Amino acid sequence: MKHEGGGTQVSIIIPTYNESQNILQMLKSIEEHLPENTTAQTIVVDDNSPDGTGRLVDDYLKNVKKIANHTIDVIHRKTKEGLSSAILKGIQYATGNTIVVMDSDLSHPASLLPKMLDALKHQKCDIVIASRYVQGGSIRGWTLKRKLMSKIATLIAKRGLSVDAKDPMSGFFAFKRQVIQGLKFDAIGYKMLLEILVKKKNANVLEIPYTFTNRKFGSSKLDAKTVTDYFRAVWKLYRHGNSAAREERRTSVSFFSKAGRFYSIGAVGLLVNYLVSSMFVVSNLWYIYATLIGIAVSMSSNFVLNKLWTFEDRNFEPRHTMTQYVKFIGFSSLGALTQIAMVYVLVDQYDVQYPIALVAAVSCAAISNFILNKKWTFKEKVWS
Ligand code: GDD
Ligand code: MN
């Protein structure tokens, strides 16, 4: 297989606990179904399985021929810490821009991988769920009791956490790495996907049907603790949802409080402008130069104060900050120019009285100044 630079980089995370009878066949099946131009990294996260799953994979890797654009790594954890936390560990280790999560017991068909990766690449979606509960999907080999449990858990998630997906409990899913950027996970129990869906409400989700086939070897690790963990996870996510909603309600207030800060700084700027200019005039500089220096200094101090206080931006990377600075100065100058133009037009063409024209022009410039800087300089939504 030739390595192609443009191919997708995929990290496939496979959590294992006592899967010695399944894991090697699983790895082979992945190998078989990976699309040709994909650079892939498979990460087995083993929790020191008593049946030696981790060691088995290590030995297998010593003897198997390396394939050019596919690496397989094993992360050995000391104790059984749970499925979600194993997945999270794998995500932290992963280097791909696309991440796939699947079980190691052959319940999840690797033959679905090409379709899932293709959807992430070519359709407008951030998360792809291999789904048992969309048309065409099904479950083979589960008892009625297990099916019922799954349905109830799904219902709780959909109603209680208002998640849209039909199969938010799926253990088989793929997503673009950037989707989870900045998210903090609790990683309780089995429900990694659910946690992502709740914490990333506006992600584009696509569900692709598949048939879940119950394992032939070994046994499910789902036990009573998994069930209580589930309720704990849902409760935590529910509270998370509430605080996110509170945050959203707060935003209209935040718009005005930011505007307040912005204009207070503007007033301070006038003072700085006045002080600096008069200081230079006193020291015998030509008054035009003194005025220009006053403007430059006050615009700069306005920029620094707005960055730190109004928009609470702590990214001081030099290039980024410089770009912001240039935009800020640009919008301020633009504001001043429109202000002059507006006064001129109102007074000269429409016979408006000067004080009224001035107030109109200043307010107009002030409002657009705030909004333009908010949106383009500090990259915030206007109404937040
Ligand atoms: N490292 C690690 N640590 N892996 C674990 C742990 C753990 O504590 N617990 C389970 N696993 C691994 C298993 O080895 C298996 O590869 C995978 O996680 C899923 O575990 P199973 O025990 O086979 O789960 P299941 O088949 O009952 O449940 C399936 O369906 C659920 C939806 O109803 C899984 O796909 C779940 O992820 C899914 O939520
Ligand atoms: Mn299973």
Side-chain angles (χ1 to χ4, degrees), residues 234-245:
V234 168
W235 176 240
K236 271 208 137 173
L237 289 174
Y238 180 71
R239 297 222 325 235
H240 171 90
N242 276 349
S243 64

Side-chain angles (χ1 to χ4, degrees), residues 15-17 19 45-47 77 80-83 86 103-105 108 132 142 146 150 169-171 190-191 212 215 219-222:
T16 56
Y17 192 75
E19 302 288 2
V45 188
D46 186 67
D47 281 4
R77 301 204 298 179
K80 186 172 187 307
E81 289 177 52
L83 177 53
D103 291 352
S104 61
D105 57 0
H108 298 156
R132 299 162 294 178
W142 264 6
R146 180 71 208 258
S150 172
M169 323 305 270
S170 177
Y190 261 42
K191 300 307 160 204
F212 178 102
R215 58 165 77 236
S219 54
S220 168
K221 279 82 203 173
L222 190 133

